[in-house]
């Protein structure tokens, strides 16, 4: 019994961080679905924008096409953050790989926000009874 009581404050501390997030994004609510679903859609669309920008980099004349300028405006600040971190190999700029990695991490973190957590109290109660 003493070991359970001594770990109680640690449980309360870890639950307080979870409760703060739960206050911002309530479980299974419309707000949570909108936030998680909307941000996942944004990340997927931005992934497509970055892919299109990389493919267009093979065609230098695409920089002058007026209809493609919004694509360059959206993607270049993100890609410029990673340029210089990874050296070019054989004339190929590999820095977008870091950008794709970051987008993947953000996508997985966003998906984890939408996951439900198993309640430990019900598991413990089921074992007792």
């Amino acid at each position: 019994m003493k070991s359970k009581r001594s770990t109680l404050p640690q449980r309360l501390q870890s639950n307080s961080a979870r409760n703060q997030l739960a206050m911002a994004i309530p479980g299974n609510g419309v707000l949570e679905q909108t936030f998680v679903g909307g941000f996942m859609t944004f990340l997927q669309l931005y992934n497509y924008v970055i892919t299109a920008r990389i493919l267009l980099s093979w065609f230098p004349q695409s920089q002058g096409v007026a209809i493609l300028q919004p694509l360059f405006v959206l993607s270049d600040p993100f890609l410029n953050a990673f340029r210089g971190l990874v050296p070019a190999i054989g004339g190929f700029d590999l820095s977008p790989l870091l950008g794709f990695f970051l987008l993947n991490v953000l996508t997985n973190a966003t998906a984890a926000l939408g996951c439900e957590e198993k309640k430990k109290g019900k598991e413990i109660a089921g074992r007792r009874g």
Side-chain angles (χ1 to χ4, degrees):
M1 286 278 180
K2 288 183 181 180
S3 64
K4 288 183 182 178
R5 288 183 184 172
S6 64
T7 60
L8 185 60
Q10 292 174 344
R11 286 184 186 169
L12 290 176
Q13 289 174 356
S14 65
N15 284 339
S16 68
R18 240 184 272 141
N19 289 339
Q20 289 173 355
L21 182 62
M23 288 174 23
I25 305 173
N28 291 339
V30 174
L31 182 63
E32 177 188 22
Q33 291 175 2
T34 303
F35 174 76
V36 172
F39 196 62
M40 292 281 287
T41 303
F42 167 76
L43 289 173
Q44 184 179 14
L45 289 174
Y46 200 66
N47 202 351
Y48 292 147
V49 167
I50 299 297
T51 303
R53 171 62 176 101
I54 291 169
L55 292 175
L56 286 172
S57 71
W58 294 347
F59 306 101
Q61 67 273 17
S62 66
Q63 292 276 345
V65 178
I67 199 163
L68 296 176
Q69 290 306 311
L71 182 79
F72 295 115
V73 169
L74 287 174
S75 62
D76 281 347
F78 180 73
L79 292 174
N80 287 339
F82 301 107
R83 291 211 171 100
L85 295 177
V86 178
I89 298 175
F92 290 104
D93 182 18
L94 300 178
S95 61
L97 292 175
L98 291 175
F100 281 124
F101 178 75
L102 179 63
L103 286 175
N104 189 21
V105 168
L106 288 173
T107 302
N108 290 335
T110 304
L113 279 177
C115 292
E116 290 188 24
E117 188 176 305
K118 289 184 179 180
K119 295 186 180 183
K120 294 180 182 178
K122 289 185 178 180
E123 289 176 3
I124 293 172
R127 290 181 189 165
R128 290 180 187 167

